[in-house]
Amino acid sequence: MTIIKAIKPIKRVLIANRGEIAVRIIRACRELDILPIAVYSEADAGALHVRMASASVAIGGAPPKESYLNSDRIIEAALKTKCDALHPGYGFLSENADFAQAVQAAGLTFIGPAAAAIRAMGVKTEALALMRAAGVPTVPGYAGGNAESDYVQAAQHIGYPVLIKAAAGGGGKGMRVVRAESDLRDSLAAAQREAVNAFGDAAVFLEKYIEGARHIEFQVFGDQHGALVHLFERDCSIQRRHQKIIEESPSPLLDPDLRARMGQAAIAAARAVDYVNAGTVEFIVDATHNFYFLEMNTRLQVEHPVTEWVTGLDLVKLQFRVAMGEALPFTQADVTQRDHAIECRIYAEDPANDFMPSIGTLDTVIAPSGPGIRVDSGIESGDAVTIYYDPMIAKLSVYGTDREDARARMRQALAAYQLRGVTTNRDFLRAVIDHPAFARGEATTSFIAQYMADWQAPAESQSNDQAPLMRETPATLNAVADPWARADGFRIGGGVTYAIGTRQGGSTRRDARQTENALMAAMPGQVMGVLVAEGEAVTRGQTLILLEAMKMEIRISAPHDGHIAKVHCAVGQIVTRGQTLIELRAE
Ligand code: ADP
């Protein structure tokens, strides 16, 4: 183990994030004797990360654009508090190359890769081209001309089903599975509109949609001296809306040969962009074990605890060391993958209701503890889950001598986790962990659609966990649960589509005999897109409004054919539950 003398010591770091990841970084700072400085929005003034930090700076309003995405305010806060470095966490500005560059230009060390590497992996189509040149396998696909006919031809060539993806995409947003040519034109137009609204860039591309695939990713780490290693894989196949909820290592699918080949491909991918610091190379693996590069996340990953369990490394501390200029204190041959780890993401959401986020105050939070159990959380009893941020409350991870041991520990840890006041996915996670297909290690990205579509919360849990919560959530969810209020449901190919609360004479019900319909917001959120204009003719199922609540995209679609009588909202507006967004008149 060679540790080169630190080139640029870090004494004080600004953490440009919130919630559990800010708390996680603060813990690493304490161990490294680095002073952690927090930033916070108006909604987070009393948050755990603010209470734990050595000092904190208010950076603006609750909406992320005014605070955690406000790069000028964040850099100003770092300079004002005399920080010498900035840790971006994940999400928010962590993969914004311009931000990384601005941080460095301000004389601060960015705890992450070089801006050039972030940029090279930032646009999916460009990253894919780079990967092909580096000999890393990619999914058969098409990125090119903008004419509809080009896509029709390309999809024929690729073969259905195909997946439309936004070039600037992330977080599983704006993806649409297309199963037949008759749906391609409409899906393409809708995906382009959504891409503009979510990412400010209409560019989309096609990929072969691989059914029954596994999502397997490799953690990589590079130092400033040219060393680059992988820290084995995480299997993240349990997903809803193309977003992970359970991750584990090792993957039950990989044998040593496939692991070695994928590890090499991950290193080649990272090498192609001279990668430094922590990163993740994501692959999709088909039924016959062919693997394809999906994307590289140029930051610390939510599910990094799984890797920490099986390698015994502290990835956040390693991030700081590498950023200071130290060499990686091990080689590839030194790193081992021991035993088994599983992580469950605890979300404030209702799995029985298309995973609709829930908000409110967590009256009681009692986390499990014991050997082999770890909880990463930014929330304590009495804290609120608001509309502004991701609904992830905590990450529960466990370690076991083998997969069965880890599964048994996870089962009991989930059962012991008490979360009252807000609907959570805890019981859903328990059902997944117990499911025979998961137990056999056979789960693919289709698992939830395949086995869990009809899942209902156990009655006993509803009375236990949800009884005290009668404030925001039940009303919010009832509006959506009402079958009369709902035109469409969760689609594998995209966000959640709702026609919410068609209202007549004050009562909420759906009746195709109606001549006027007021479509309302089922939960508070921000209007991200108004896709139609007054007077415009629309068809049943057409997306009219895009709402974003807690990082989730909610599509409000027409429950029937008609034309738009009145638009009551504008892009950027924060709307409350029950607020009328648009009026639709049937012909
Ligand atoms: P994002 O950046 O929005 O998270 P990714 O490309 O990482 O998008 O994909 C997210 C998830 O979508 C994957 O984990 C996988 O489940 C699914 N997915 C992506 N591409 C494909 C594909 N070509 N075939 C099947 N599933 C895919």
Side-chain angles (χ1 to χ4, degrees), residues 124 139 163 165 169-173 175 207-210 213 215 239 242 282 284 294-295 445:
K124 286 184 193 234
V139 186
L163 182 63
K165 287 180 158 181
K173 271 191 204 164
M175 286 193 202
E207 266 182 9
K208 171 82 188 160
Y209 181 66
I210 301 171
H215 173 115
Q239 302 182 348
H242 305 298
E282 296 189 336
I284 192 128
L294 275 184
E295 65 167 350
T445 56

Side-chain angles (χ1 to χ4, degrees), residues 231-232 307 310-312 332-338:
L231 305 177
F232 302 99
T307 301
V310 296
T311 61
Q332 187 69 64
D334 299 326
V335 194
T336 50
Q337 189 183 30
R338 281 174 301 135

Side-chain angles (χ1 to χ4, degrees), residues 527-558:
V527 178
M528 301 308 287
V530 177
L531 308 183
V532 287
E534 284 178 12
E536 192 174 325
V538 297
T539 53
R540 184 178 186 274
Q542 183 175 336
T543 308
L544 311 177
I545 305 265
L546 291 175
L547 265 191
E548 189 175 84
M550 304 158 98
K551 278 179 66 188
M552 191 178 95
E553 178 184 85
I554 299 169
R555 293 180 202 153
I556 294 182
S557 64

Side-chain angles (χ1 to χ4, degrees), residues 50-64:
V50 178
R51 302 202 297 273
M52 282 177 67
S54 298
S56 55
V57 184
I59 48 164

Side-chain angles (χ1 to χ4, degrees), residues 404-487:
E404 269 310 283
D405 192 41
R407 212 166 62 83
R409 186 163 282 156
M410 180 57 88
R411 189 187 302 119
Q412 76 87 12
L414 281 170
Y417 211 143
Q418 292 186 48
L419 295 147
R420 291 197 175 85
V422 171
T423 306
T424 74
N425 66 345
R426 185 200 69 156
D427 289 322
F428 182 83
L429 293 167
R430 290 172 76 182
V432 174
I433 294 291
D434 277 338
H435 195 280
F438 182 81
R440 290 194 300 268
E442 292 170 1
T444 69
T445 56
S446 310
F447 176 88
I448 289 176
Q450 212 175 337
Y451 299 113
M452 304 296 289
D454 298 326
W455 182 84
Q456 288 298 321
E460 152 232 338
S461 133
Q462 270 170 2
S463 58
N464 267 351
D465 291 354
Q466 295 166 29
L469 100 137
M470 294 298 182
R471 28 179 101 81
E472 278 282 5
T473 315
T476 303
L477 296 173
N478 284 345
V480 181
D482 177 358
W484 298 107
R486 190 168 152 177

Side-chain angles (χ1 to χ4, degrees), residues 520-525 574-581:
M520 298 176 293
M523 66 179 307
I574 303 281
V575 294
T576 57
R577 177 167 50 87
Q579 186 169 335
T580 298
L581 304 177

